[in-house]
Amino acid sequence: MQIKNYGETVIQIISDEIIKNEQDFLNIMATHESDTYIFKKENFSDDFYKLATGIAGKILQKASTYRKKIVIIGDFQNVDSNALRDFIYECNKMKQVIFTETIDKALEVLKIKK
């Protein structure tokens, strides 16, 4: 697993590993200390995006408990699920978890200069 460091508190996880549950996320936090983690949409299992599974809630609860931010980079414009669309909207409003299309937009929201 590689990381790209955007300063002491923001890293991008560059990996094809899939985060399937909260333990996978905890393992990343234990291995790579940071305040903010940037992932690709594909780094999370499909079940993460099916809110009824509870996986997203558990992972985001861990992030909140440890006061970490998560940024997920991907195309979320054509989400079929109303629940997921609302979830993304609320997350972006609170800025604990940010869903955005590009790394540049993520860094802009985080107020990080490349």
Side-chain angles (χ1 to χ4, degrees):
M1 177 180 301
Q2 296 178 330
I3 64 167
K4 184 166 184 177
N5 194 331
Y6 289 98
E8 293 180 21
T9 62
V10 179
I11 61 172
Q12 180 179 8
I13 304 297
I14 302 170
S15 171
D16 291 331
E17 286 184 49
I18 304 295
I19 300 167
K20 297 181 246 31
N21 54 49
E22 67 270 21
Q23 187 59 52
D24 291 345
F25 179 68
L26 288 172
N27 291 343
I28 289 170
M29 286 194 324
T31 306
H32 305 287
E33 178 58 37
S34 185
D35 291 329
T36 302
Y37 297 89
I38 301 173
F39 298 97
K40 297 179 297 185
K41 177 182 181 181
E42 296 79 18
N43 287 126
F44 291 93
S45 71
D46 290 340
D47 286 340
F48 176 87
Y49 300 102
K50 296 174 188 167
L51 299 182
T53 66
I55 294 171
K58 290 176 184 175
I59 290 172
L60 302 187
Q61 181 60 48
K62 293 296 181 195
S64 178
T65 298
Y66 292 102
R67 297 184 178 162
K68 306 297 182 185
K69 287 186 179 182
I70 298 175
V71 177
I72 303 175
I73 306 295
D75 182 5
F76 297 99
Q77 294 297 322
N78 297 317
V79 173
D80 292 334
S81 165
N82 287 337
L84 181 57
R85 193 174 318 114
D86 292 344
F87 176 75
I88 290 170
Y89 174 80
E90 290 298 324
C91 285
N92 284 345
K93 203 162 82 169
M94 301 302 292
K95 296 191 177 166
Q96 175 78 32
V97 178
I98 300 165
F99 292 84
T100 189
E101 299 86 25
T102 66
I103 189 68
D104 289 334
K105 287 185 181 182
L107 296 175
E108 184 180 312
V109 170
L110 295 169
K111 297 179 178 19
I112 304 289
K113 295 183 180 180
K114 265 176 119 175

